[in-house]
Amino acid sequence: MDHQMWTELLHELNEVCLAELDVLHGYPSLEVRMGPFIRKHPHHPMAALAASIIAGEARWLGMPPSTEVQIQEAEQRLGLALPSSYKSFLRVANGFFIPGAIINTLLPVDLITHFGEHHSDQAALWREVLDDQTGEMADDVWSRLEGTIQLSGPPHHQPEFILLDPHVKNGEGELEIVELGHEMPEYANSFHEVMERAIYIARYVITLYSKNS
């Protein structure tokens, strides 16, 4: 997916999210859901963006594009090549907020990490649950969480994350993306698919809140 297509997709997502913010402002959950990033990374430039969103001042919900050096440094740090669709996203916005979404923070590339780096306890817990299941779940993503790459977070309440799974690659060479919730994980063939789903959900939230207002 080229730069122009990603630019158009993110601007569409941005406009939908701004419309969603119009109906979400006044709900205390907005500030609560944006708060975890501010508390965890208070001095990161993205924290200032989060504060601006809460105040209703932001018109662009993404960070400036990443540089090729930033992407290369992340790949060296993580020990893998990031998939092309995700890198194309970073070249348009190095981090993005999706207010109102359950998983609402897409991290800048300098903050993405191996899931096990900060959540080894949760990975172990999910693995223990799998140990009680039959062998048919042995290949489930929950059994190898430490090696996945956390692209989102920190979560608001439930352990919900967007993860890049280096162990699963599709026919186009894209690594699988996993949206991990407190129930069953959802899978996507590329990061682009995840973002298209985010637009659909944001439109649904607007409709839902509009009917209840």
Side-chain angles (χ1 to χ4, degrees), residues 8-148:
E8 292 173 358
L9 186 148
L10 288 181
H11 275 83
E12 180 182 0
L13 178 59
N14 189 76
E15 291 306 309
V16 173
C17 286
L18 288 178
E20 186 179 359
L21 280 170
D22 288 341
V23 298
L24 287 179
H25 271 116
Y27 287 85
S29 60
L30 175 63
E31 183 169 353
V32 170
R33 287 188 177 277
M34 306 294 286
F37 185 90
I38 297 175
R39 290 192 294 272
K40 188 175 180 67
H41 306 285
H43 305 298
H44 196 281
M46 200 166 175
L49 174 59
S52 178
I53 293 171
I54 293 171
E57 300 168 351
R59 304 312 302 166
W60 174 245
L61 306 178
M63 294 294 290
S66 66
T67 65
E68 294 304 312
V69 170
Q70 288 175 309
I71 293 174
Q72 291 169 8
E73 287 177 345
E75 291 180 322
Q76 292 174 1
R77 173 169 54 86
L78 298 169
L80 57 83
L82 295 170
S84 59
S85 70
Y86 178 63
K87 288 195 285 190
S88 295
F89 157 75
L90 293 171
R91 292 175 182 127
V92 178
N94 186 21
F96 204 92
F97 283 112
I98 310 176
I102 294 175
I103 305 175
N104 68 1
T105 306
L106 301 174
L107 294 171
V109 72
D110 55 298
L111 294 183
I112 66 174
T113 60
H114 288 281
F115 186 79
E117 186 172 331
H118 299 294
H119 302 287
S120 58
D121 54 339
Q122 292 182 24
L125 178 61
W126 271 311
R127 231 181 8 261
E128 289 174 9
V129 172
L130 285 183
D131 287 342
D132 295 332
Q133 306 297 323
T134 61
E136 65 187 29
M137 297 187 70
D139 291 332
D140 195 279
V141 67
W142 286 342
S143 67
R144 54 177 185 273
L145 282 177
E146 287 96 334
T148 62

